[in-house]
Amino acid sequence: MNALINWLNKHVVPVAAKIGSIRWLIALRDAFIAVMPLTLAGSLATVINALVRDLPTSFGWTGFVNSMQWLISIDSLVWTGTMAILGLLFAFTFGYQMCVQYKVEPIAGGLVSLGTFIMGLPQNFSLILSNTLTHGDTKTLTGAGAAVDGKNITAWGYFNFNKYFGSAGFFTVMIMGAISVTIYIWLMKKNITIKMPDSVPPAVAKAFTGIIPATAGLYVVGVIDYLFSLSHTTVIDFISQTIQDPLLNIGQGYGSVLLVTILVQVLWFFGIHGTNVLMPITESIWMTAQFANINAANKGQALPYMWTRSDFDFYVWIGGAGSTLLLILAILAFSTREDQRAVAKLSLVPGIFNINEPVMFGMPIVLDPIYFIPFVIAPIVMVSTSYAALSMGWVLPVKANMPWAMPPFLNTFLGTLDWRAVVLQLVNMVIGFLIYVPFVKAANNVNTQAEA
């Protein structure tokens, strides 16, 4: 065991620490965190509509649904201003957070990233009709600026709101936004800017300072967008088809889910916040999938992804990474060590709300060779049972975003609106508890030997 810990400490921990300090990844993490209030508001609207519209409709309670149309309409408006435009919001927060990391004017950087996202969107729409239009209808549409070719209608000057403004734009922002904002930051750092006299008000001087860097960044991505247009495609479509969709599909595989689970546990064991270090990966892949599920649920469509970001919190990291709430319960039930029982009592309430730092560093679990095995094994078993239940259709996928600090059972039910998800969480809690118990008893023996 000591040899394994030493090897991990020598080869894994330094790499993880280095990754965790990359400013681009920190900005990506903070950009996702920044949009969290809006994602929670949009998720609340989705949950309410599911309770007052979708669920009653399935029972034929049309009268109740009709009486709640006012609330359904309000929820739809809230969703439109949050989840439906999440890509747009993320475009700004990503550029802003990158500039915060590199200590340059952040608002202009956020606007550069936002402008980059808009530039990469198709500005036309097309419709395929079931029947050919009459000559009069064709003349009317062409007179209004549309192009009619048989059953196909196209028009310029429109953004496809449903297709691009949601989570579909995340990877485009991460790549193209990073290019434009990096140019902006580099030129700002090199002081290749317009210098204004000291007599000019600071707000005006700041605005002029960013003109050259922002223009350069936007023109570079403009050239890239233009080159893609020569191939009759757009940057966002290309990135979605070749990068985002394949990564999201890979993220649905058991191996990907298991690997992230193990890495988070190993990093936490060495005192590195594994959840934060890997957040750029978990948010980019599984949170993007979750947002796609939320938008699909709001439209009454089938949920496209089985495994999402919240599945880790619901079924694998109950009480925090390592499902330490279950360790706390095992200690309170079976430990004879007063030191560990004291820490467990203090950590119980924070653990219910998924805050596990008190037990991680107060016990401590960090670098404790006894608890290393269950700390890694329990989440592995729990993620395996959860993945199997979801893949076999025993539990519905996540359709709403819940605050990470929401207690067990409540978070699972509201996130899925499926009572079976609560049962799965309870089963996993029992499994994790039973895995921890033998090691809690072993810790009792260690204490006895130390006293002898």
Side-chain angles (χ1 to χ4, degrees):
M1 178 60 70
N2 288 334
L4 175 61
I5 292 174
N6 291 334
W7 184 87
L8 292 171
N9 201 22
K10 181 179 179 181
H11 297 284
V12 176
V13 173
V15 174
K18 196 167 290 185
I19 292 174
S21 64
I22 296 175
R23 287 189 279 187
W24 182 85
L25 294 178
I26 295 174
L28 182 60
R29 179 199 69 194
D30 292 347
F32 275 109
I33 293 173
V35 299
M36 187 180 295
L38 292 166
T39 65
L40 294 177
S43 294
L44 177 62
T46 301
V47 170
I48 293 174
N49 268 0
L51 293 174
V52 302
R53 180 191 64 191
D54 302 341
L55 197 60
T57 299
S58 66
F59 289 105
W61 301 342
T62 54
F64 174 79
V65 175
N66 290 334
S67 69
M68 300 302 293
Q69 282 300 320
W70 62 273
L71 179 58
I72 294 170
S73 298
I74 293 173
D75 288 333
S76 297
L77 291 172
V78 172
W79 173 83
T80 301
T82 54
M83 300 303 302
I85 59 168
L86 209 53
L88 203 64
L89 302 172
F90 177 71
F92 177 81
T93 60
F94 178 60
Y96 184 96
Q97 294 296 341
M98 278 192 67
C99 293
V100 167
Q101 289 300 315
Y102 289 93
K103 297 180 172 56
V104 299
E105 169 54 35
I107 294 179
L111 294 174
V112 168
S113 182
L114 177 61
T116 298
F117 175 67
I118 296 294
M119 289 166 60
L121 297 177
Q123 298 182 41
N124 63 328
F125 80 91
S126 61
L127 294 174
I128 301 177
L129 304 177
S130 57
N131 298 308
T132 304
L133 293 172
T134 64
H135 177 73
D137 292 336
T138 301
K139 188 175 181 180
T140 300
L141 287 172
T142 54
V148 180
D149 182 14
K151 297 180 181 180
N152 297 319
I153 301 175
T154 58
W156 185 87
Y158 302 88
F159 292 120
N160 193 324
F161 183 84
N162 285 328
K163 185 175 181 181
Y164 297 114
F165 277 26
S167 58
F170 281 177
F171 277 76
T172 300
V173 172
M174 294 177 206
I175 296 171
M176 299 301 292
I179 292 173
S180 60
V181 177
T182 297
I183 293 170
Y184 167 81
I185 292 171
W186 186 79
L187 292 174
M188 290 286 285
K189 288 289 189 179
K190 294 294 183 181
N191 287 320
I192 303 177
T193 59
I194 297 175
K195 309 291 193 302
M196 300 298 290
D198 294 338
S199 58
V200 175
V204 177
K206 268 187 180 181
F208 272 87
T209 300
I211 289 177
I212 293 176
T215 302
L218 291 172
Y219 261 89
V220 168
V221 296
V223 170
I224 297 173
D225 289 331
Y226 174 73
L227 293 175
F228 273 90
S229 71
L230 296 179
S231 301
H232 303 288
T233 186
T234 59
V235 169
I236 190 169
D237 285 327
F238 176 81
I239 291 176
S240 294
Q241 294 165 10
T242 61
I243 299 176
Q244 178 162 319
D245 291 345
L247 282 176
L248 292 181
N249 290 331
I250 291 172
Q252 296 304 296
Y254 173 69
S256 301
V257 174
L258 180 63
L259 178 61
V260 167
T261 301
I262 294 173
L263 288 175
V264 166
Q265 302 312 128
V266 170
L267 294 177
W268 260 113
F269 177 75
F270 289 97
I272 296 175
H273 201 305
T275 318
N276 277 356
V277 170
L278 295 180
M279 187 179 287
I281 296 173
T282 57
E283 302 293 306
S284 300
I285 296 177
W286 289 286
M287 187 58 83
T288 300
Q290 184 162 320
F291 291 152
N293 275 11
I294 295 170
N295 286 334
N298 189 73
K299 298 173 187 175
Q301 300 172 350
L303 304 185
Y305 296 104
M306 182 192 75
W307 192 273
T308 68
R309 173 60 184 85
S310 286
D311 286 300
F312 289 105
D313 294 331
F314 291 173
Y315 308 120
V316 186
W317 299 327
I318 301 171
S323 287
T324 47
L325 176 60
L326 311 180
L327 171 61
I328 292 170
L329 296 176
I331 288 172
L332 293 176
F334 294 101
S335 179
T336 58
R337 292 180 55 171
E338 289 303 320
D339 58 335
Q340 292 198 356
R341 290 183 62 83
V343 173
K345 290 176 183 177
L346 293 173
S347 304
L348 178 60
V349 173
I352 292 173
F353 294 95
N354 299 309
I355 300 170
N356 71 344
E357 279 82 359
V359 69
M360 287 297 301
F361 299 103
M363 192 72 64
I365 299 173
V366 172
L367 294 177
D368 187 323
I370 292 179
Y371 287 127
F372 174 72
I373 294 175
F375 186 72
V376 175
I377 294 299
I380 289 176
V381 176
M382 293 162 71
V383 78
S384 300
T385 58
S386 307
Y387 189 90
L390 281 160
S391 61
M392 288 187 282
W394 293 350
V395 175
L396 294 179
V398 172
K399 63 173 66 174
N401 192 29
M402 293 293 107
W404 63 269
M406 185 172 287
F409 306 136
L410 183 62
N411 62 358
T412 310
F413 179 72
L414 292 178
T416 63
L417 297 179
D418 183 5
W419 63 270
R420 296 171 299 178
V422 178
V423 174
L424 175 59
Q425 188 179 54
L426 178 60
V427 169
N428 275 359
M429 291 179 73
V430 172
I431 291 172
F433 177 83
L434 293 176
I435 290 173
Y436 271 116
V437 166
F439 295 90
V440 170
K441 293 182 176 180
N444 293 339
N445 296 332
V446 170
N447 189 54
T448 302
Q449 292 170 10
E451 290 175 353

